[in-house]
Amino acid sequence: MSRLRGPLRRAEQLVPRPAAGPDTAPAQPAPPAGRAADGAPRRPRGAGAVPAVLHTVAAALLVAAVAATAAAGVAQPLVATAFLTLIAVGECVRITLPGDREQAPIGAAAALAYALLGPLRGLPTTHGVLQVVAVAGAGSLLAATAPVLSRALPGACGLALRRRRGRPWGDPVRRDTAARRLLTVGFAAAVFQPLYNGGLLDRLPSAGPAYGVFLAAVAALAALCDATLAAALHRARTGLRFPAALEDELRSLPGIGSAIVATGMLVSLAAGEIGLWALPVFCAPLLLAQVSFRRAAAIRATTGQTIATLARATEVAGYTPPGHARRVADTACALGRELGLGTRELALLEYAALMHDVGQLSLVEPVPDGATALLPAAEQQRIARLGSEVIRRTGVPPRVAEQVARLADPCRRPDGGLDPSLPLSARIIRVANAHDDLLTAARGRGLSDPAGRLEALEALRLERGRAYDPRVVEALARMGGRAREPG
């Protein structure tokens, strides 16, 4: 904006310029706000403790379960082997869900079914909680040998196994998923098996509705347990606030989560009548559902490629500096996490931030350094609306185009009140874009990165409440303060 030049000059007076000399090294581009030097999102203090604790508890539970099962002997070995095999196969055909989640629907459903297994073809089962944990853990460990088996198996079998084995076990997401699975299955078994083996469920006929309602209640509790653990791990890995992470996990339950829970319940109920044939019969539909999720993932990947191409169009044409769109997107996502946005909102925010400068392609002459934050307000709004018209034709969600169309609108109405119709994502992108424009201008004048950050933040604070949302500016200030902390 034109009226931002005065605050820029006032802010520049607060920061001394570095002395020029032969030994003065050129300033390197600073990492985006909320990012570490390597570009990864900054995690909250003590973030590594939560995954370490859950992994340790899951490993200790598995060791204790295997030792107890080995000492007491495996109850009904054929049944245990059937479920173990299905769990291992399910772990080998994993899918990746939005938000970088990884799930093994068949393996999860088989483990839940074994935890909720009561009578088998009219005969009672005798396995307990620890054997359920041992079988679920052994199935996951058996799936870990997929790389070795893929090299040993000849031809198409080995190739298919290599293509379907998913993330390596050294990947943190894979370890998190395995720990969650073991703890959730252990929780479900701890609720159901003592009641069943103690005879407290004998009053409920296995073919009656009351028994099904009880199974549904236990499965729902297990799903909530899994969502809570997943939210805690997501918070630790990404820095997303726990309420937003938990909301994301709960929203994902009606999708593949509900299919897993329903399949687990159906297998445990049907096994009482048809025995182990329930495993392939009721897990086959879940395998077909995985195919649909893979196709949806391919569509999302195509959308991502389209967005990446549009984001680079302004850089290739010389309208914006190299890496500007990516830096703005990284800063915007860090601000979104700080302000409590969920994973879905963060994904839309990233899409809009990557394409926020597409409207500059309509300009006859490029803006110097692509700094649209220094243009008059009317010109900023014109560029934003032209960009939104282009985005509407790309097939991305309509909310992305709306966020880009409104990102240059003032945050206050003419009467002085805040505009409730202005999306928070648009306000975030405007602050992130101005922050990067101001940092680029400061580096062009020879300021160091710390001095440039101080100048940019001071300029944004002078305009908060008019051009920029005060809440977003203060979130940026908080992230900058953490960035200066050691370690």
Side-chain angles (χ1 to χ4, degrees):
M1 295 179 60
S2 59
R3 60 179 178 179
L4 194 59
R5 299 181 187 274
L8 270 175
R9 286 195 292 271
R10 293 195 295 271
E12 186 177 353
Q13 296 172 0
L14 301 176
V15 184
R17 290 178 179 271
D23 297 332
T24 303
Q28 298 296 323
R35 294 256 161 176
D38 59 357
R42 286 191 178 94
R43 295 186 297 169
R45 288 178 177 269
V50 173
V53 169
L54 289 181
H55 295 173
T56 302
V57 172
L61 179 61
L62 178 59
V63 170
V66 171
T69 303
V74 179
Q76 296 171 309
L78 180 61
V79 177
T81 302
F83 278 94
L84 185 150
T85 303
L86 185 59
I87 292 171
V89 171
E91 290 288 336
C92 292
V93 286
R94 308 174 69 85
I95 58 174
T96 301
L97 303 176
D100 201 30
R101 300 181 183 91
E102 194 173 71
Q103 184 65 273
I106 294 178
L112 179 63
Y114 194 52
L116 302 180
L117 184 62
L120 184 70
R121 300 196 74 172
L123 300 177
T125 55
T126 57
H127 64 275
V129 176
L130 293 179
Q131 181 166 317
V132 170
V133 174
V135 169
S140 298
L141 293 176
L142 182 60
T145 64
V148 178
L149 293 177
S150 65
R151 290 190 293 268
L153 291 176
C157 295
L159 179 61
L161 193 56
R162 283 193 295 271
R163 295 179 62 181
R164 296 296 185 184
R165 59 189 174 96
R167 297 173 185 263
W169 271 90
D171 188 89
V173 176
R174 184 71 181 270
R175 295 198 303 268
D176 289 349
T177 305
R180 273 173 45 207
R181 175 78 42 73
L182 202 65
L183 294 175
T184 301
V185 169
F187 172 79
V191 174
F192 177 82
Q193 291 297 329
L195 297 178
Y196 175 77
N197 293 327
L200 298 179
L201 298 181
D202 292 343
R203 302 174 184 177
L204 304 177
S206 59
Y211 186 78
V213 170
F214 176 73
L215 281 182
V218 175
L221 289 175
L224 290 176
C225 174
D226 182 70
T228 303
L229 294 175
L233 290 167
H234 196 188
R235 154 72 177 168
R237 296 293 185 193
T238 66
L240 186 67
R241 294 187 177 184
F242 180 78
L246 182 59
E247 181 182 358
D248 285 339
E249 297 298 332
L250 293 178
R251 282 182 176 180
S252 68
L253 287 180
I256 194 66
S258 61
I260 292 172
V261 171
T263 302
M265 289 174 49
L266 284 173
V267 170
S268 63
L269 285 171
E273 299 296 330
I274 64 175
L276 296 179
W277 282 105
L279 275 66
V281 169
F282 289 97
C283 286
L286 193 56
L287 182 60
L288 298 178
Q290 287 192 211
V291 175
S292 299
F293 272 92
R294 290 185 190 277
R295 290 180 178 175
I299 294 173
R300 287 194 299 270
T302 302
T303 302
Q305 292 171 0
T306 302
I307 292 171
T309 302
L310 282 174
R312 292 194 67 248
T314 55
E315 299 175 9
V316 173
Y319 284 88
T320 57
H324 169 74
R326 184 70 263 172
R327 291 193 301 273
V328 171
D330 290 342
T331 302
C333 289
L335 285 168
R337 283 190 291 270
E338 181 70 20
L339 294 171
L341 295 185
T343 301
R344 287 173 175 79
E345 288 77 11
L346 287 174
L348 296 177
L349 173 64
E350 183 179 20
Y351 289 168
L354 285 171
M355 297 187 290
H356 75 281
D357 273 330
V358 170
Q360 289 201 47
L361 296 174
S362 65
L363 301 177
V364 177
E365 293 293 335
V367 179
D369 294 324
T372 53
L374 304 180
L375 293 176
E379 184 67 9
Q380 292 185 46
Q381 292 173 350
R382 186 183 76 86
I383 293 173
R385 280 161 175 67
L386 288 173
S388 70
E389 291 302 320
V390 175
I391 294 171
R392 291 183 199 278
R393 291 169 170 79
T394 62
V396 299
R399 286 177 57 189
V400 176
E402 178 187 357
Q403 291 169 11
V404 173
R406 300 291 307 277
L407 66 86
D409 292 355
C411 63
R412 291 190 182 275
R413 298 176 299 191
D415 60 3
L418 290 174
D419 185 0
S421 67
L422 185 62
L424 176 59
S425 296
R427 290 175 266 167
I428 290 174
I429 295 171
R430 187 170 192 181
V431 170
N433 177 60
H435 182 256
D436 191 73
D437 286 347
L438 295 171
L439 278 178
T440 301
R443 284 195 294 268
R445 297 195 307 275
L447 290 182
S448 64
D449 285 331
R453 286 186 182 280
L454 178 61
E455 179 183 280
L457 184 59
E458 180 65 21
L460 292 173
R461 278 177 164 167
L462 289 172
E463 288 295 308
R464 63 183 174 182
R466 293 189 292 271
Y468 306 111
D469 189 324
R471 193 158 60 105
V472 180
V473 175
E474 291 310 310
L476 180 66
R478 289 196 301 271
M479 293 193 307
R482 281 203 304 266
R484 290 190 292 270
E485 292 180 1

